[in-house]
Amino acid sequence: MQGTVDGFSYGLVTPLVAYLMACLGGALGLRCTTRSMLVARSWRSGWLALGSAAIGSGIWTMHFVAMMGFTVEETPVHYDKPLTFASLGVAIVMVGVGIFIVGHRGASGAALFTGGTITGLGVASMHYLGMAGMRLNGDLTYNTLTVSASVVIAMAAATAALWAAGQVRGFLWSVGASLVMGLAVSGMHYTGMAALSVHLHGATGATPPGDSPATLLAPLLVGPLAFLLLAGVVVMFDPLMVMGRPDWTPAETKPGVPARGVPPHTVRHPAPHPGRRPGRRDHHEHHSHRDHRTPQSR
């Protein structure tokens, strides 16, 4: 028996709130990644780790806010707690791998491709691992082509987000990039949900194992939301967040350019050739040296 799936049981409320969560996590993560490129290398890993946790938490929160509106008419939907927690960990770790690659190697072609692929696969893994944690009186099946499309969307969104993070530009740039990122992540989520079909078992009235969305997801969302708030405070109170200058200055390494702080060499003029009548320039230098003599030497 085919179940009646509804992903919008609360109307547009859950999609809009989920989109805002994805944008918030993306904006904070992108600013932290951009900020890591403006500091000395010793501080870079800390900002990249904060950005990874922000993006991962935002994407995970977006997913489960959207899942609050997911229902199957013929059976209640519950969630397995360990798998739900595991999906959050997968999101943060795999997003972190991609961000660290771009943060330390720069937004080059190879780094973007590698980091975007790993991050996109992490987003998709988080989504489908969270779906695997669903408990209902039925079996979940997926359309392979639609699932592949959702993974491609996730990889493209991740690559675009990492490219945007590598562009050391102003705050509004990151805000615009996070809006696009939130749209892509939401599109990936609902594309993956469109691939889902539920085949019910015979006894549809039985209560499945696990926790209901109200008892599990609502309290579980408090942690990531509190972290996003804390990350937002750190970002807003950092003086370089609204596109300041680096707090370190790289030394010049070009040939022929002296290091900063080294005084220039004193230029010595060659002595006039003996027997040569001094010209106007030599005459001027002669008077200049004579004028700077001390009274005792005159």
Side-chain angles (χ1 to χ4, degrees):
M1 178 180 175
Q2 193 78 13
T4 305
V5 176
D6 184 7
F8 305 93
S9 57
Y10 294 105
L12 293 178
V13 175
T14 49
L16 289 178
V17 175
Y19 172 71
L20 291 177
M21 291 299 101
C23 292
L24 176 61
L28 295 176
L30 292 179
R31 280 320 288 171
C32 290
T33 305
T34 300
R35 179 68 172 83
S36 71
M37 300 179 183
L38 299 175
V39 296
R41 185 172 292 273
S42 58
W43 288 92
R44 185 171 300 174
S45 295
W47 283 105
L48 291 175
L50 182 61
S52 305
I55 294 179
S57 298
I59 293 173
W60 185 89
T61 305
M62 173 268 154
H63 171 80
F64 281 103
V65 166
M67 291 306 295
M68 294 287 286
F70 175 82
T71 57
V72 179
E73 185 176 328
E74 293 82 4
T75 177
V77 178
H78 288 184
Y79 290 88
D80 180 78
K81 190 177 294 184
L83 283 179
T84 303
F85 277 112
S87 64
L88 174 60
V90 167
I92 293 177
V93 170
M94 294 194 70
V95 168
V97 171
I99 285 181
F100 268 76
I101 290 175
V102 173
H104 285 286
R105 295 185 176 273
S108 60
L112 280 176
F113 177 78
T114 305
T117 299
I118 295 175
T119 303
L121 291 176
V123 173
S125 299
M126 178 278 302
H127 174 84
Y128 289 107
L129 185 60
M131 296 297 293
M134 294 174 57
R135 298 292 180 261
L136 47 80
N137 296 315
D139 297 321
L140 306 180
T141 59
Y142 294 93
N143 180 278
T144 304
L145 184 61
T146 311
V147 169
S148 301
S150 69
V151 174
V152 171
I153 292 173
M155 293 169 59
T159 303
L162 293 177
W163 174 83
Q167 310 303 306
V168 185
R169 300 186 184 181
F171 183 75
L172 293 180
W173 169 265
S174 293
V175 171
S178 67
L179 295 177
V180 177
M181 179 182 176
L183 185 63
V185 171
S186 299
M188 175 268 159
H189 172 85
Y190 286 105
T191 301
M193 296 304 295
L196 175 68
S197 298
V198 178
H199 297 278
L200 298 173
H201 297 159
T204 58
T207 302
D211 298 321
S212 65
T215 59
L216 174 64
L217 296 184
L220 201 59
L221 290 173
V222 173
L225 286 175
F227 171 78
L228 290 176
L229 178 62
L230 178 62
V233 172
V234 172
V235 167
M236 293 307 298
F237 281 89
D238 185 82
L240 294 183
M241 270 298 132
V242 189
M243 206 52 249
R245 296 192 176 198
D247 58 1
W248 60 282
T249 304
E252 287 281 358
T253 57
K254 297 179 181 179
V257 178
R260 188 179 298 275
V262 178
H265 296 288
T266 304
V267 178
R268 296 182 179 180
H269 297 287
H273 191 274
R276 181 172 62 90
R277 183 177 181 180
R280 298 178 62 182
R281 180 177 176 181
D282 297 329
H283 183 72
H284 172 73
E285 292 174 355
H286 174 72
H287 281 285
S288 176
H289 288 298
R290 184 185 62 186
D291 294 340
H292 284 84
R293 290 181 297 173
T294 60
Q296 290 83 359
S297 61
R298 288 183 181 177

